[in-house]
Amino acid sequence: MMNDATLRKIDLNLLLAFSVLMQERNVSRAAERLLLGQPGLSAALRRLREALDDELFVRVGRGLQPTPRALSIAPAIEDALSGIERAIRPQAEFDPASWQGEFRIGMCDNLESAFFGPLAARLLQLSPGARLIGIASEKRDAARRLDEGVFDFSVSVHDEPASWHIRAPLFDQASICIYDEAQLRLKAPLSLKDFANVAHVTVSFEGNAATSIDIALSRAGHVRQVVATVPRFSALPTALRAMPAIATVPESIGRCMAQLHGLTICQLPLPLPADPVTMLYRRVDQADGRARWFRRLFLDVASQALEASGCRVSISRVAA
């Protein structure tokens, strides 16, 4: 256990320096944020290393890589600093009606199609001086762009978060089939044989055709024919209206497409795991009044949009 003498060596400035280094992974950028010269930050890091008897950060190329000890203590330090900030700088209640500025949200295009319109409409009612900015976001770069301040939060299927991020569950997104009955004369429910034997259109940002569907079909002794692959879900409706083909899409966007374009949806004839859609935001924004209001607004809008579309899932309130 750490003794009292060691604890007295660790003051608030050292913890703040550690927190910023965890976020920036670069001494010069961290020193600039702290309004501190690089020699001063290096000295603070040296004191913290001596107090904790750990390197904490090792140099990799031009950046810093945290050690396992640094990663293990980072969440507790972030929580402590957030608690201190809340205690000494209580924030006034956020007033959306009088606020002017931007709200920025990162979403992949299937979720954008389901939620962006209703979110913009509700924001116009509650905060007429605000503007909603939608940012195209993929899970592979969501964390980096969040740290760069590109958006307030991201809604996607995210990887394991960093210690200074919070990943809150929203809903598990199942997949459904969608097609044009005028082109593909099939009646729901589809049999596995019908599903495997028709032409398929897939969606892939990188142009890859093989997915978990092909793995599941292979296990059942079937192979499908992919006749086209598009980079975004927005291209699917016109493709399906033009040819006798079927697509497998997330339920939220599939129901929107069916309503807007007169397409038919039905359940998949084989089981597929649902994708966990989550909200990713910075730990330092957890108590920010404006950011918290925006997150809660999204939860309300998304919950109503899913219910109105007929989706069988509901939004978790943990993210608020």
Side-chain angles (χ1 to χ4, degrees):
M1 181 177 293
M2 191 177 295
N3 57 43
D4 291 343
T6 301
L7 284 173
R8 282 195 292 271
K9 295 178 182 179
I10 303 175
D11 58 23
L12 183 60
N13 289 328
L14 291 184
L15 296 181
L16 184 59
F18 172 84
S19 174
V20 174
L21 279 168
M22 282 294 296
Q23 297 175 33
E24 296 293 347
R25 309 291 179 91
N26 181 282
V27 172
S28 60
R29 290 201 302 267
E32 184 178 347
R33 277 186 57 183
L34 291 166
L35 302 179
L36 189 68
Q38 290 191 36
L41 180 56
S42 297
L45 179 57
R46 183 171 60 253
R47 289 169 55 199
L48 196 56
R49 283 168 166 164
E50 292 173 354
L52 297 178
D53 193 24
D54 189 88
E55 276 293 293
L56 298 178
F57 300 91
V58 294
R59 186 168 295 281
V60 178
R62 296 184 178 181
L64 298 176
Q65 179 69 39
T67 66
R69 180 75 190 284
L71 291 171
S72 69
I73 65 176
I77 290 176
E78 289 292 340
D79 286 341
L81 291 174
S82 295
I84 292 172
E85 182 179 8
R86 289 194 298 271
I88 65 176
R89 260 188 358 189
Q91 297 178 347
E93 189 69 23
F94 175 70
D95 179 18
S98 62
W99 191 77
Q100 295 188 354
E102 293 180 350
F103 290 100
R104 304 174 69 87
I105 181 171
M107 286 190 289
C108 50
D109 67 325
N110 66 305
L111 297 173
E112 186 179 69
S113 297
F115 301 134
F116 187 83
L119 181 62
R122 182 72 65 83
L123 191 62
L124 181 61
Q125 293 175 345
L126 300 179
S127 186
R131 180 170 61 164
L132 179 63
I133 306 294
I135 308 294
S137 175
E138 300 292 333
K139 72 174 184 178
R140 61 184 178 181
D141 65 356
R144 174 183 59 81
R145 303 187 79 189
L146 182 64
D147 285 336
E148 292 172 353
V150 176
F151 38 69
D152 294 294
F153 61 83
S154 168
V155 178
S156 185
V157 179
H158 298 107
D159 293 326
E160 185 70 23
S163 58
W164 56 92
H165 292 162
I166 292 177
R167 182 181 63 174
L170 292 179
F171 62 96
D172 289 335
Q173 181 164 254
S175 297
I176 59 175
C177 299
I178 185 167
Y179 60 96
D180 183 359
E181 273 193 26
Q183 289 281 353
L184 194 62
R185 299 188 180 280
L186 293 176
K187 294 294 183 181
L190 297 183
S191 68
L192 182 57
K193 182 179 178 180
D194 286 339
F195 177 78
N197 288 341
V198 299
H200 286 252
V201 179
T202 63
V203 180
S204 173
F205 179 75
E206 297 177 338
N208 300 324
T211 67
S212 59
I213 300 172
D214 298 283
I215 297 173
L217 281 172
S218 177
R219 288 173 179 167
H222 293 277
V223 178
R224 65 173 177 167
Q225 180 189 13
V226 176
V227 298
T229 298
V230 295
R232 297 185 65 84
F233 285 94
S234 56
L236 266 183
T238 52
L240 295 177
R241 294 291 296 273
M243 71 177 88
I246 196 169
T248 303
V249 299
E251 184 181 13
S252 57
I253 190 173
R255 293 186 178 275
C256 289
M257 287 180 179
Q259 293 172 2
L260 291 174
H261 300 280
L263 299 172
T264 298
I265 57 174
C266 65
Q267 300 302 312
L268 273 168
L270 73 168
L272 285 181
D275 293 322
V277 177
T278 58
M279 175 185 287
L280 187 73
Y281 59 95
R282 300 187 306 167
R283 191 175 292 272
V284 295
D285 292 332
Q286 188 173 17
D288 180 79
R290 186 198 72 90
R292 188 171 62 246
W293 182 86
F294 186 33
R295 292 195 301 270
R296 289 175 176 172
L297 177 66
F298 175 81
L299 295 182
D300 290 339
V301 169
S303 180
Q304 292 177 15
L306 288 176
E307 182 179 357
S309 70
C311 285
R312 298 159 294 170
V313 296
S314 57
I315 293 284
S316 168
R317 310 303 295 186
V318 176

